[in-house]
Amino acid sequence: PACLRMTDAVVCRPRRWRAADGAPPRGAPEPARASAPAAHQDPEYRRGVAVCLDHLGSGALEKVVLSRCVDLPLPEGAAPSRVAEALLERLAIRDHLAADVYCARDSRGRYWLGASPEVVADVHDGCLMTLPLAGSLARRRVEDERRADHLLHASEKDLHEHELVVEHIGAALNGFVHDLDVPASPSLVATDTMWHLGTRITGQLPDGVSALEAALRIHPTPAVCGRPAAEAARLIGELEGRSRQFYAGLVGWTDSTGDGRWSLVLRGARIGEASVRVQAGAGIVPGSSPRAEHDETGAKLSTMLRQLRGLLPIAPGDAGHGRLSAPVRGRSSRSSRSSPAPVPGGLGLVVLVPGDDGAQEHLDPAQQGLPLDRPAAHAGGARCGHDDRPGGGLEDGSGVETGDP
């Protein structure tokens, strides 16, 4: 990474596994019933997906993860810290017990918070668990668990998308960890708005390897960037036209023993002085379509947009009204941009930012963030407890267990 940032302003409320067989629990939580803004038609994002499909067709790429964002103004006089506190409180309700809820403040005073469904590295006593998610279906389209399970496992496109991520992680860990266990087929994982294919991969780390080091060995995966990563990142930079900053990076904690937990900065929002940005992406592989990827990103955006209702003025068509900031230059088989490629970055108790725009983040020792009522961890933030099961659940500093997915 181009930067390693330690922050004193972090809240982390990870989930807790309870499945007896070690697999992700199925069918929980229930899909959110509260009304969410309808997905706005975003032709520029669809054109971007079409460009990605042309690159895939040329054989230059196997997968690209293209994102779009929604920018909403803060009400006049609203303090970003108060909006962050209110949003964090909403994220802690049952709808988001399937996710690791996080909140951190960067050196520019912006708050990054959300409910991440994807664990990159969970380490306890040297035992590593990682849970990649790839291959998705919106729950508003299919509510029945059995039907969702059948559709995803019958989809060559979704199975291939998931296989690319699992292959990447297996190659990164093979020969590095002991007793590597990679299930032959994925399981169904539910969040409040999505069904995902997920594979729970475990192994024993070598002595002295921390959760952060394990996460960096895996990240970024094809679930947030693409394959090959360098080529996918260049195309992402051309089509998205902006730095992802901490989006699709890492958020989490590592203590002095090496234990810790790192998840992806997804299903979240960035709260600045004057606006809130919500961002979501979709993996594009052969068999993808502009309409389907547009709908998928709209469903993912609704996770945060629904929570922002009442805090911000959100029009009915704002969900998915993300714009690719740079115009798409038409459908071509090659990228003409030769500038350095953006690589998805990271955020957390320790903030990781692979340099995608040359920007450097620095710790401000005087920086103050959301109040923390828990002891300090090795990395400079919240210290979370851990249960005694490999890749198991976590407790917050007050000893209150968090929920299960």
Side-chain angles (χ1 to χ4, degrees):
C3 173
L4 182 65
R5 181 177 127 66
M6 299 166 61
T7 177
D8 60 353
V10 172
V11 173
C12 185
R13 298 178 182 173
R15 57 186 165 186
R16 185 180 182 93
W17 295 110
R18 289 184 183 170
D21 61 359
R26 295 161 58 92
E30 290 298 318
R33 302 295 180 181
S35 60
H40 184 92
Q41 297 304 309
D42 185 356
E44 197 159 337
Y45 182 79
R46 293 176 187 246
R47 286 195 294 270
V49 173
V51 172
C52 291
L53 289 171
D54 276 353
H55 282 260
L56 296 173
S58 73
L61 291 165
E62 294 182 79
K63 179 179 179 180
V64 182
V65 180
L66 191 67
S67 72
R68 58 188 177 121
C69 64
V70 179
D71 290 312
L72 300 167
L74 280 181
E76 186 176 353
S81 61
R82 297 303 299 271
V83 175
E85 288 175 356
L87 185 55
L88 182 62
E89 184 176 344
R90 291 184 176 191
L91 289 174
I93 64 174
R94 185 178 183 276
D95 278 351
H96 297 285
L97 295 183
D100 288 350
V101 175
Y102 61 89
C103 178
R105 197 176 77 163
D106 66 22
S107 62
R108 300 180 187 179
R110 301 172 302 186
Y111 292 89
W112 294 78
L113 69 166
S116 176
E118 190 158 352
V119 180
V120 176
D122 181 298
V123 175
H124 178 55
D125 289 342
C127 185
L128 166 70
M129 186 276 290
T130 181
L131 182 65
L133 305 179
S136 305
L137 182 64
R139 294 187 73 164
R140 67 188 179 198
R141 286 184 53 202
V142 178
E143 293 188 2
D144 181 74
E145 175 190 355
R146 292 183 181 275
R147 177 160 174 74
D149 190 39
H150 170 75
L151 289 173
L152 284 174
H153 280 91
S155 169
E156 292 186 11
K157 177 261 183 187
D158 289 296
L159 288 173
H160 176 60
E161 181 180 348
H162 188 80
E163 183 182 6
L164 291 176
V165 181
V166 173
E167 284 181 355
H168 167 90
I169 295 175
L173 297 179
N174 188 33
F176 178 69
V177 305
H178 308 293
D179 302 323
L180 179 63
D181 180 24
V182 182
S185 59
S187 302
L188 186 69
V189 177
T191 69
D192 62 322
T193 61
M194 303 294 298
W195 302 104
H196 297 285
L197 291 175
T199 297
R200 188 179 190 271
I201 300 171
T202 60
Q204 190 70 32
L205 292 173
D207 291 343
V209 176
S210 71
L212 176 56
E213 291 171 303
L216 288 176
R217 191 171 187 89
I218 296 170
H219 180 75
T221 74
V224 296
C225 182
R227 190 162 115 171
E231 288 79 0
R234 290 190 189 96
L235 185 58
I236 289 169
E238 179 181 344
L239 296 179
E240 293 186 3
R242 61 179 175 270
S243 167
R244 285 186 171 183
Q245 300 173 336
F246 299 140
Y247 169 74
L250 298 171
V251 60
W253 61 275
T254 297
D255 68 14
S256 58
T257 71
D259 286 356
R261 185 174 175 105
W262 293 87
S263 298
L264 289 175
V265 180
L266 299 176
R267 309 294 197 278
R270 185 198 74 191
I271 303 176
E273 289 186 3
S275 65
V276 174
R277 168 166 290 182
V278 182
Q279 192 164 352
I284 301 162
V285 296
S288 296
S289 71
R291 177 179 179 179
E293 306 313 319
H294 179 278
D295 291 348
E296 179 179 327
T297 52
K300 292 174 177 176
L301 287 166
S302 70
T303 295
M304 291 301 294
L305 291 172
R306 185 177 57 252
Q307 301 304 323
L308 287 165
R309 280 219 160 160
L311 299 177
L312 301 177
I314 300 179
D318 274 341
H321 192 61
R323 296 180 176 85
L324 295 170
S325 299
V328 177
R329 295 185 173 88
R331 306 179 72 177
S332 62
S333 60
R334 297 285 179 185
S335 171
S336 60
R337 181 165 174 163
S338 60
S339 58
V343 178
L347 170 72
L349 269 181
V350 175
V351 178
L352 307 170
V353 189
D356 59 355
D357 61 353
Q360 296 291 318
E361 291 284 344
H362 301 283
L363 174 66
D364 176 3
Q367 176 183 335
Q368 299 295 322
L370 298 179
L372 298 175
D373 55 357
R374 57 195 78 182
H378 167 68
R383 172 67 167 94
C384 298
H386 206 297
D387 75 2
D388 58 1
R389 291 168 293 176
L394 298 159
E395 299 175 356
D396 66 18
S398 64
V400 179
E401 290 188 5
T402 54
D404 44 321

